[in-house]
């Protein structure tokens, strides 16, 4: 159970770090200096999936998260285990990124809906003021109270 938790935890960290490097403002100067998405190097730091591989290559040996073990021994087996485990962690991080994208999109939809409702209310207020200004002064009495039933 601990191994599974560590695998998902490391993948979540890989997803978070790669998203930050590839999309957040703090790393915008680095992406711009490397040419943005128009150049090969710039694209490699502008793509969250691409960056997640580099981050996984570093974090897998640091955390000792090796979900894939190979039967080949020696240094070749160690390199293959590191490489394949890093790829696996990056793939899990990609699935996390998709899940978080859906969360972000749903939050964005709620914010857009709230903004639309606020704009509709503001528009109704403006129209009401314009109509009230066009009425003769004796008809401007303000809102009428509701009639009791």
């Amino acid at each position: 159970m601990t191994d599974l938790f560590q695998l998902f935890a490391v993948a979540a960290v890989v997803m978070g770090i790669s998203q930050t490097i590839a999309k957040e403002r703090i790393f915008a100067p680095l992406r711009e200096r490397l040419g943005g998405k128009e150049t090969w190097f710039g694209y490699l730091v502008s793509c969250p999936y691409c960056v997640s591989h580099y981050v996984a290559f570093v974090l897998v040996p640091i955390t000792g998260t090796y979900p894939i073990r190979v039967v080949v021994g020696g240094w070749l087996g160690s390199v293959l285990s590191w490489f394949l485990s890093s790829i696996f962690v990056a793939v899990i991080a990609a699935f996390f990124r998709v899940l978080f994208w859906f969360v972000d999109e749903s939050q964005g939809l709620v914010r857009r809906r709230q903004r639309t409702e606020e704009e509709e209310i503001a528009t109704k207020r403006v129209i009401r003021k314009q109509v009230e200004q066009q009425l003769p002064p004796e008809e401007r009495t303000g809102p009428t109270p509701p009639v009791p039933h």
Side-chain angles (χ1 to χ4, degrees), residues 113-129:
R113 189 176 306 132
Q114 288 173 342
R115 198 174 318 121
T116 301
E117 289 173 1
E118 290 169 358
E119 289 171 355
E120 286 175 359
I121 291 169
T123 302
K124 288 178 183 178
R125 285 183 186 144
V126 168
I127 292 172
R128 188 178 308 128
K129 281 185 179 183

Side-chain angles (χ1 to χ4, degrees), residues 55-108:
V55 175
F57 288 148
V58 171
L59 286 183
V60 163
I62 289 174
T63 60
T65 307
Y66 292 98
I68 298 178
R69 304 264 183 212
V70 295
V71 294
V72 177
W75 69 270
L76 181 60
S78 296
V79 169
L80 282 173
S81 182
W82 163 74
F83 182 76
L84 295 174
S85 294
S86 297
I87 297 295
F88 186 57
V89 167
V91 168
I92 293 172
F95 281 107
F96 284 165
R97 191 172 303 103
V98 170
L99 292 174
F100 282 100
W101 180 83
F102 281 117
V103 170
D104 256 3
E105 274 301 302
S106 65
Q107 289 177 351

Side-chain angles (χ1 to χ4, degrees), residues 6 8-9 27-28 30 34 40-41 52 55 67 90 96 101 104 108 113 120 122 130 132 146:
Q6 183 171 355
F8 287 138
F27 286 98
L30 171 67
L34 293 175
W40 188 75
F41 281 119
S52 68
V55 175
F96 284 165
W101 180 83
D104 256 3
R113 189 176 306 132
E120 286 175 359
Q130 289 174 349
E132 286 176 357

